[in-house]
Amino acid sequence: MYQQVFDPISDSLGWSSLFAVLPLLTMFVLLGGFKMAAHWASLIALAVALVAAIAVYGMPIGQAADAALEGGVFGLWPIMWIVVNAIWIYNMTVDSGHFVVLRRSFARISDDQRIQAIIIAFCFGALLEALAGFGTPVAITSVMLLALGFKPMKAAAVALVANTAPVAFGAIAIPIVTLSAVTGLPKEELGAMVGRQTPLLALIVPLILVGIVDGRRGIRQVWPAALVGGSAFGLAQFVCSNYVSVELADIVAALVATAAIVGLVRVWQPSAPLIGRVAPVRPALAGAATHDPAFEAAVRRRQEATHDTRADVVAAYMPYILVIAVFSIAQIGSVKTALASVISEFQWPGLHLTNPDGVALGLNTFRLNWVAAGGTLLLIAGLITVPVLRLSLARAARAYVTTLKQLRWAIVTVTTVLALAYVMNASGQTITLGLWVAGAGGFFAFISAMIGWFGVAVTGSDTSSNSLFGALQVAAAKDSGLSPVLMAAANSSGGVLGKMISPQNLAIGAAAVGLAGKEGEIFRRVFGWSLVLLLAMCVIVYLQSTALLGWMVVH
């Protein structure tokens, strides 16, 4: 039996926090400073976390090892189970040739890379986040951008930064549902409050994506598309989360934003970038692509020579339509109940943990939702996709093996980082840091979102961060005289901004574009944007805690 202690060093949260933060500092310094591959950085950080748990927090070696093992298994199920099956579906579309058709379909909306970044990374990525989450949008959209002419590093950066505003409602709003479960606050109120925070991010993110692709020139020329897409997404997310359904918020927002941009480009196109003193015909690959007349002419000839039939286009979209259909059916009341009944729940062998009050921790119990898990639903959609794409079972199996090989280092990274998170949670290191930050009193409203950001940066999951810090946010809010709904929502809204720097997402994005081992460089590309957006969210939450924007708070 291990009973948690949160202030093992001189009964001081401050001094204890200096040791609790060491695993995280180790990981981020190795990633950003030394550009070390994520799987090695996470393994070293795990070792530091184990030493801190055993030597500083007094956790028995066996309990620490059991916690790490449970975290690693959780990394495999359900997280990588979702990612592997999602990428498998994508790889089958590539193998069958339908991905090329899908790519051409997106390209025909606009042949401008800057607009393509918004449509694919932001809108289509939001749809994937709504359905699967857990790194799926980053993996798929980064490869789509790569196929459209983006450089690997830029494709990964765009996909990571785009995966922000939709995250709080991802995987059919699992983060909100989890937050409600751990705080005891109504799901509808929490979803509505988050829906009054993250839509403000949606106004900014498309502009940032355009800036990443083409700098200030891109923002000057493409701001109407970014503004229309972001505004449509934010408004739809707000309306749906507040008045329709928390679970459908991202699905509706993604579809509305896509329709808005498609409608805009039918009547408007960005101005042509100047080459010297001459304004040429806008190149086939605009934005940051180098102006290469021969290459652009070849692209145009290829587009003009290729004619996709309506049946080809429908087949290309069918895998994603099937994913939407399967997940939608799984949300029907009777079906959802039946799926949820197939569950295995057991006490993790050898793990016996209690909090300082002697109450057993939820970490002791491991749950396997065999059928209702997102990865299983994706597997079902993938199996239905096989005959739709006219693939043999042998080709589908080979595509699955290819997917496993492609994601092998991402699998190692995710399992290791979740092992790290579980060790920190079980020993009390994470709560030490959270309690120390929560001691800021009235200023807690400003730093509340930082706690969620920190949780997602470590675990790679807004759901996990809400599980970890949701109750802490509510307790701190009551002590500080702040709205519990506001602070709990801030944990989820701030958390979405840690997604782009989490080692899991970095590993998935790097593996998808063929840059495995260069996660540190990608981290350096996106870290600044993560901090800028986090600061914006901190300001939003703080103002919502004051009379200035207090009218926005759900009561």
Side-chain angles (χ1 to χ4, degrees):
M1 179 73 69
Y2 170 68
Q3 187 170 29
Q4 287 182 322
V5 56
F6 302 143
D7 52 359
I9 305 298
S10 303
D11 296 326
S12 167
L13 284 175
W15 286 110
S16 300
S17 295
L18 293 178
F19 289 90
V21 79
L22 285 178
L24 304 178
L25 285 179
T26 299
M27 185 163 57
F28 290 136
V29 168
L30 292 177
L31 276 174
F34 292 89
K35 300 182 182 180
M36 185 178 289
H39 55 278
W40 292 118
S42 57
L43 280 169
I44 295 172
L46 172 59
V48 174
L50 286 168
V51 170
I54 296 166
V56 178
Y57 283 77
M59 192 176 191
I61 295 175
Q63 297 285 338
D66 282 334
L69 182 59
E70 184 185 12
V73 172
F74 184 79
L76 294 174
W77 182 289
I79 295 178
M80 288 312 298
W81 179 236
I82 292 173
V83 175
V84 167
N85 286 313
I87 301 302
W88 173 55
I89 293 174
Y90 160 74
N91 282 338
M92 285 195 294
T93 67
V94 173
D95 190 35
S96 66
H98 288 85
F99 177 75
V100 178
V101 179
L102 181 67
R103 186 185 71 203
R104 285 197 292 262
S105 176
F106 277 115
R108 289 190 181 104
I109 296 175
S110 174
D111 59 5
D112 190 301
Q113 279 191 329
R114 301 162 295 186
I115 295 179
Q116 289 170 350
I118 300 173
I119 294 174
I120 295 173
F122 185 70
C123 298
F124 187 56
L127 183 60
L128 294 173
E129 179 66 35
L131 298 173
F134 294 105
T136 304
V138 172
I140 292 179
T141 61
S142 60
V143 177
M144 294 182 73
L145 294 173
L146 190 68
L148 287 169
F150 285 71
K151 292 182 179 180
M153 188 64 66
K154 186 164 290 187
V158 168
L160 285 164
V161 174
N163 192 217
T164 48
V167 169
F169 297 97
I172 317 297
I174 287 298
I176 304 296
V177 173
T178 302
L179 187 61
S180 174
V182 300
T183 61
L185 299 172
K187 174 188 68 177
E188 292 75 17
E189 290 186 10
L190 291 170
M193 191 65 243
V194 173
R196 303 179 188 193
Q197 295 170 338
T198 56
L200 299 174
L201 295 177
L203 298 175
I204 305 172
V205 171
L207 287 169
I208 294 176
L209 299 182
V210 172
I212 293 175
V213 174
D214 195 26
R216 294 181 180 178
R217 180 185 68 176
I219 294 175
R220 287 197 305 268
Q221 295 174 349
V222 189
W223 68 264
L227 184 61
V228 167
S231 300
F233 185 96
L235 181 60
Q237 192 183 59
F238 162 73
V239 171
C240 195
S241 62
N242 277 263
Y243 305 110
V244 183
S245 167
V246 173
E247 289 83 358
L248 297 178
D250 275 351
I251 294 177
V252 172
L255 296 177
V256 169
T258 302
I261 295 176
V262 170
L264 175 67
V265 296
R266 288 182 180 276
V267 297
W268 170 89
Q269 287 292 332
S271 58
L274 292 173
I275 305 299
R277 296 184 177 181
V278 181
V281 176
R282 188 163 47 84
L285 296 176
T290 301
H291 184 62
D292 185 339
F295 174 68
E296 292 155 11
V299 170
R300 289 196 186 92
R301 285 196 301 271
R302 188 163 61 247
Q303 290 177 341
E304 293 169 358
T306 305
H307 176 70
D308 297 315
T309 66
R310 181 171 297 180
D312 292 333
V313 175
V314 171
Y317 280 92
M318 189 55 67
Y320 302 101
I321 294 173
L322 288 172
V323 170
I324 294 173
V326 169
F327 273 83
S328 298
I329 292 172
Q331 295 304 307
I332 297 174
S334 57
V335 177
K336 186 175 183 178
T337 301
L339 295 177
S341 66
V342 186
I343 182 174
S344 297
E345 183 174 305
F346 57 90
Q347 294 296 304
W348 191 263
L351 196 61
H352 305 287
L353 308 171
T354 67
N355 66 16
D357 297 325
V359 179
L361 298 182
L363 287 175
N364 296 331
T365 304
F366 195 85
R367 297 175 179 84
L368 287 173
N369 286 352
W370 295 102
V371 182
T376 303
L377 297 178
L378 284 169
L379 177 63
I380 293 171
L383 292 173
I384 301 173
T385 296
V386 173
V388 170
L389 298 182
R390 298 180 180 178
L391 289 172
S392 66
L393 290 177
R395 287 180 67 186
R398 285 196 296 270
Y400 207 98
V401 172
T402 299
T403 302
L404 291 174
K405 291 180 179 178
Q406 176 185 357
L407 294 175
R408 62 188 183 279
W409 291 119
I411 292 172
V412 172
T413 300
V414 170
T415 54
T416 305
V417 171
L418 264 297
L420 161 69
Y422 267 58
V423 170
M424 292 186 66
N425 296 348
S427 63
Q429 295 174 63
T430 306
I431 301 300
T432 295
L433 293 172
L435 290 173
W436 179 70
V437 175
F443 191 63
F444 179 71
F446 184 83
I447 61 178
S448 175
M450 294 182 185
I451 297 176
W453 174 85
F454 160 73
V456 176
V458 176
T459 66
S461 165
D462 201 39
T463 300
S464 298
S465 178
N466 287 345
S467 298
L468 199 58
F469 293 127
L472 172 64
Q473 294 273 13
V474 171
K478 292 178 179 178
D479 290 341
S480 305
L482 300 168
S483 165
V485 172
L486 174 61
M487 294 300 100
N491 193 83
S492 195
S493 298
V496 307
L497 304 173
K499 189 89 168 178
M500 70 181 78
I501 61 170
S502 69
Q504 298 97 306
N505 258 20
L506 289 170
I508 290 168
V513 299
L515 293 178
K518 294 189 177 180
E519 293 87 357
E521 188 173 347
I522 300 175
F523 172 81
R524 291 160 64 94
R525 293 285 187 99
V526 301
F527 183 68
W529 292 118
S530 179
L531 289 183
V532 168
L533 291 171
L534 174 63
L535 178 61
M537 181 55 64
C538 289
V539 171
I540 291 170
V541 174
Y542 178 75
L543 292 178
Q544 288 177 333
S545 72
T546 68
L548 189 61
L549 293 182
W551 53 271
M552 296 179 67
V553 178
V554 176
H555 298 288

